[in-house]
């Protein structure tokens, strides 16, 4: 049975009430402090396949050196790579960051675009990063789906999908608009703290009475 809008709203509101106990993601903290789409974009690129603590420290070190596309492009890729190490794929990310800065300066007047399709044309920017820049960087509606959002939305029966991209399009149909912007950070924090990939903590979960635990083989 698909979830009704009121069931989805109850689930999300219940998670929002419990959220104060969980750490926000490093990208969410950067967005909250800076309100700067450029920092959100760069920290999101650094965060790919990288632990949250590493992302926070690497981003802070890099933004102390350069926090605008012009300043970033003035740094050699090797300096950016050394600065964001030990982020995963740090050398490739350093080159990508420089290429993106070149595009921002050459094609967008040095600004990070708000438009999803324009963001997707930037090198190395996929749907997850583009949606995060739209929501956290610009405060505009978008739905950012990563593995946590994909897994948990399926466990809760909010969507029934096989890939993160399918989940994004299904959520665009079912998730009430007021939850689009906070949904990613909420579910990522929830996934890191409670609804973990293997053996989720269902016994202490704030939405356990609302959850059919679809696809959950083992839990605590
Ligand atoms: S009850 Fe378990 S599977 Fe369902 S949302 Fe909570 S932690 Fe995740």
């Amino acid at each position: 049975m698909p979830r009704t809008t009121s069931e989805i709203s109850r689930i999300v509101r219940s998670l929002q009430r419990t959220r104060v106990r969980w750490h926000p993601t490093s990208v969410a903290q950067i967005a909250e402090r800076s309100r700067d789409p450029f920092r959100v974009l760069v920290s999101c690129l650094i965060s790919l396949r990288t632990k949250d603590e590493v992302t926070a420290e690497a981003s802070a070190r890099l933004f102390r050196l350069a926090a605008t596309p012009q300043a970033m492009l003035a740094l050699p890729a090797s300096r950016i790579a050394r600065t964001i190490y030990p982020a995963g794929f740090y050398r490739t990310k350093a080159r990508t960051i420089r290429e993106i800065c070149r595009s921002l300066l050459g094609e967008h007047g040095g600004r990070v675009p708000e438009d999803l399709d324009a963001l997707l044309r930037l090198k190395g920017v996929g749907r997850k990063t583009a949606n995060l820049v739209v929501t956290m960087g610009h405060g505009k509606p978008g739905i950012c789906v990563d593995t946590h959002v994909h897994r948990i939305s399926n466990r809760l029966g909010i969507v029934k999908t096989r890939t993160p991209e399918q989940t994004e399009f299904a959520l665009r149909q079912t998730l009430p608009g007021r939850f689009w912007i906070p949904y990613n950070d909420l579910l990522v924090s929830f996934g890191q703290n409670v609804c973990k990939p293997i053996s989720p903590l269902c016994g202490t979960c704030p939405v356990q009475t609302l959850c059919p635990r679809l696809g959950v083989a083992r839990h605590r």
Side-chain angles (χ1 to χ4, degrees):
M1 279 279 284
R3 289 286 193 177
T4 64
T5 303
S6 85
E7 285 174 332
I8 295 172
S9 298
R10 273 180 69 200
I11 290 169
V12 178
R13 280 202 304 269
S14 177
L15 293 178
Q16 284 178 317
R17 281 195 296 276
T18 320
R19 182 183 174 221
V20 281
R21 292 195 229 134
W22 309 322
H23 279 301
T25 62
S26 56
V27 177
Q29 289 181 53
I30 289 165
E32 181 75 27
R33 278 198 302 268
S34 70
R35 305 262 168 222
D36 177 2
F38 180 69
R39 290 185 194 228
V40 173
L41 172 58
V42 172
S43 60
C44 192
L45 290 167
I46 293 172
S47 78
L48 303 173
R49 296 182 179 262
T50 299
K51 286 192 175 142
D52 224 33
E53 316 82 76
V54 173
T55 299
E57 289 169 12
S59 301
R61 280 195 301 276
L62 184 59
F63 297 143
R64 277 198 290 276
L65 289 180
T68 63
Q70 293 92 329
M72 197 69 78
L73 205 51
L75 298 176
S78 56
R79 180 95 190 267
I80 297 175
R82 275 201 309 279
T83 306
I84 64 174
Y85 177 86
F89 304 100
Y90 58 97
R91 286 198 189 91
T92 308
K93 286 177 183 173
R95 286 196 297 272
T96 302
I97 289 169
R98 286 190 94 251
E99 282 205 35
I100 286 177
C101 289
R102 197 173 288 120
S103 301
L104 294 179
L105 289 165
E107 296 157 34
H108 301 282
R111 299 171 65 85
V112 175
E114 293 183 7
D115 177 60
L116 193 69
D117 291 328
L119 285 162
L120 287 169
R121 284 196 290 276
L122 295 172
K123 183 180 164 59
V125 173
R127 296 198 71 84
K128 178 188 149 188
T129 300
N131 272 297
L132 211 57
V133 171
V134 169
T135 54
M136 287 191 187
H138 290 293
K140 305 272 182 196
I143 298 184
C144 174
V145 176
D146 67 357
T147 56
H148 291 291
V149 174
H150 175 60
R151 177 183 74 251
I152 298 167
S153 299
N154 274 282
R155 282 178 175 173
L156 282 162
I158 293 174
V159 297
K160 191 173 177 208
T161 54
R162 293 166 65 176
T163 65
E165 190 167 325
Q166 288 174 0
T167 299
E168 182 195 325
F169 290 113
L171 286 171
R172 284 177 183 271
Q173 302 296 319
T174 55
L175 189 68
R178 64 185 177 283
F179 299 133
W180 282 29
I181 293 179
Y183 195 70
N184 173 271
D185 188 53
L186 185 63
L187 263 65
V188 174
S189 310
F190 180 50
Q192 288 170 343
N193 289 278
V194 183
C195 194
K196 301 183 179 204
I198 298 164
S199 193
L201 310 179
C202 300
T204 54
C205 174
V207 292
Q208 57 178 295
T209 57
L210 304 168
C211 180
R213 298 178 202 178
L214 298 175
V216 176
R218 193 156 54 88
H219 60 84
R220 290 172 273 173

